[in-house]
Amino acid sequence: RYRNRVPTKSSNVHDAFEAAGAVLMGKTNLSDLGLVPEASSYVGGCTSTPYDLTRTAGGSSGGAAAAVADGMVAFDWGTDIGGSIRLPAAFNGVLGLRLSSEYWPIDGLFPRIPSVLTWMCSQGPLTRTIEQMRTVVDAVAPVLRRPSSCSFKARGAFVVTPDVLGGWPTFEADVSPVVRAALESDVHFNHGLPSTSRMRDVYSAIWASNLEQLLEADESLTLSQSVRDVLVAIFTRGRFGNRVFHPTTAEILALIALGRYTIYRNPEQAMRNANALRSQFAALWDLGHVIVMPVCMFPPPRIGRTNYNFNLLSCTMPGNIADATSLAVPFGTFAGNLPRALQIMGPPGSEQAVLQIGERLIEARDRTHHLRPFPPPDFTPQRRNHATPH
């Protein structure tokens, strides 16, 4: 769809890092339109996690997280409207920080995000250490961050246990002592938030009820043409020349359209539900508590199977509704040594407090041997055909 497009100027993120003295390497792969939690496109192919090349690196910023985990780059910078920084960080065993849109507004994304959705989308770094993350954030904060302060100081934690435990049945037992040690305070489970499945539905309603605005964000798309191209992509998988949409993106668009014309038809009600959930998160932060959740209860799916698990993003979507400052931290492994992650969620603008808690959480985590992250498998010429990492 954009094969002939040449940008006329650099993004403000690129300019900010260039001015800070960063050595900029290039663009990393992401999903078509940034819609899918799998970095698969006709431009960059399908990005794998270096832990298992049959499994996805996540998305949309999967190429970013895989490049950091693989040693190609020291850091990358992604966007997150439903988990697009935190999920790839989890699937690749690195750190990912979603900064709040209130304090770190995004400018100049392409394709353009509809105005009804921009409040859920933010940006942030992916790194291997907290020290690197602080350096990256501090380097561009004078340019990208709004000059306002946040006085949040954590005094405790609410732990949210998902209603679908998936591949992490020992979640509470693993997390409680580490969070308690990191914060040196009690851990509470009576948070009063809805179930993670319910919060996922609140998020989904916002997208589906605003389908028309989503299509209007791309001037090259019309409803009738999009319906045709989505169906062609789903049923032919790009085998007969029509590559307007990657099949994974077409599947997501079809689900959004299905929701729009069935159960999510009222955008006003969708926003009322979202605002109510935002207020519930804010009330917990007003108590001086961070919110701790898993990033995902499942290991990285096989490439091409990501859309078939409706609970994959149930723990990341609430952070976008609340505009949380959310740090994904590697935290043990699933079966097969596939990486697993925890997220620390603070109020908008609380990145310094969240990073400090993340540092203490990592120290407490590393005192428990089975929770320490494993590095990716050794690199061999058979596993990769590009240059050795440096």
Side-chain angles (χ1 to χ4, degrees):
R1 191 165 56 258
Y2 306 121
R3 64 186 181 276
N4 296 321
R5 177 180 180 270
V6 177
T8 57
K9 63 178 181 178
S10 298
S11 70
N12 61 342
V13 170
H14 181 285
D15 289 342
F17 277 114
E18 190 171 56
V23 178
L24 300 168
M25 305 292 289
K27 296 183 179 181
T28 44
N29 194 33
L30 74 162
S31 53
D32 179 20
L33 288 178
L35 285 180
V36 184
E38 174 179 310
S40 295
S41 71
Y42 286 128
V43 175
C46 301
T47 304
S48 307
T49 171
Y51 286 85
D52 183 341
L53 298 187
T54 69
R55 296 177 181 269
T56 180
S60 58
S61 301
V68 172
D70 198 40
M72 299 180 194
V73 293
F75 73 93
D76 210 318
W77 191 265
T79 56
D80 190 315
I81 198 171
S84 293
I85 290 173
R86 292 161 288 158
L87 190 74
F91 285 177
N92 292 275
V94 299
L95 297 162
L97 178 63
R98 180 200 184 272
L99 300 162
S100 73
S101 62
E102 179 181 341
Y103 285 78
W104 294 77
I106 289 182
D107 178 55
L109 277 188
F110 181 87
R112 179 175 59 87
I113 300 175
S115 58
V116 293
L117 299 175
T118 52
W119 58 276
M120 290 197 299
C121 187
S122 192
Q123 55 192 323
L126 296 112
T127 66
R128 288 187 290 274
T129 69
I130 292 287
E131 182 183 5
Q132 289 173 326
M133 188 162 282
R134 283 202 181 98
T135 300
V136 171
V137 169
D138 291 346
V140 293
V143 178
L144 301 181
R145 193 185 193 278
R146 284 178 174 159
S148 52
S149 62
C150 174
S151 58
F152 177 77
K153 184 176 181 179
R155 298 192 294 272
F158 285 102
V159 175
V160 178
T161 303
D163 53 314
V164 178
L165 290 174
W168 196 350
T170 59
F171 169 74
E172 288 189 6
D174 290 338
V175 168
S176 298
V178 176
V179 174
R180 189 177 295 113
L183 292 174
E184 299 179 343
S185 67
D186 290 335
V187 174
H188 304 278
F189 291 89
N190 55 334
H191 46 76
L193 294 172
S195 69
T196 50
S197 294
R198 170 58 185 160
M199 291 190 282
R200 178 202 64 207
D201 289 344
V202 172
Y203 175 93
S204 299
I206 298 169
W207 278 85
S209 63
N210 289 289
L211 172 65
E212 291 80 4
Q213 287 81 359
L214 177 62
L215 294 177
E216 289 173 2
D218 187 335
E219 295 178 356
S220 70
L221 300 179
T222 63
L223 182 58
S224 59
Q225 179 185 358
S226 296
V227 168
R228 181 199 68 192
D229 291 332
V230 162
L231 293 175
V232 169
I234 291 173
F235 290 109
T236 71
R237 319 303 287 185
R239 288 190 291 265
F240 302 109
N242 185 322
R243 292 191 167 191
V244 174
F245 295 111
H246 191 273
T248 54
T249 296
E251 290 167 349
I252 290 292
L253 289 172
L255 288 171
I256 292 172
L258 180 64
R260 170 66 179 87
Y261 296 112
T262 54
I263 57 176
Y264 301 131
R265 294 180 289 183
N266 189 334
E268 291 78 16
Q269 183 61 51
M271 277 306 305
R272 284 193 292 270
N273 292 339
N275 287 331
L277 184 56
R278 285 169 68 93
S279 297
Q280 289 177 283
F281 270 82
L284 298 180
W285 289 325
D286 287 344
L287 296 174
H289 285 55
V290 291
I291 299 167
V292 178
M293 301 174 67
V295 174
C296 184
M297 300 300 290
F298 302 89
R302 302 285 179 185
I303 290 174
R305 306 291 298 175
T306 307
N307 291 336
Y308 305 151
N309 184 343
F310 292 157
N311 289 301
L312 202 69
L313 299 177
S314 293
C315 296
T316 55
M317 290 172 171
N320 296 88
I321 296 175
D323 194 24
T325 302
S326 302
L327 175 66
V329 178
F331 199 87
T333 60
F334 291 106
N337 287 338
L338 293 168
R340 197 174 65 187
L342 201 63
Q343 61 177 327
I344 306 161
M345 306 169 73
S350 62
E351 58 268 12
Q352 296 304 326
V354 167
L355 288 174
Q356 185 178 42
I357 297 168
E359 191 169 46
R360 286 153 49 188
L361 182 78
I362 291 171
E363 292 174 357
R365 176 204 68 190
D366 287 348
R367 291 195 288 269
T368 304
H369 179 74
H370 74 278
L371 296 178
R372 296 176 186 171
F374 285 84
D378 291 338
F379 305 117
T380 67
Q382 288 74 33
R383 291 189 68 248
R384 48 190 288 177
N385 56 12
H386 47 75
T388 302
H390 54 276

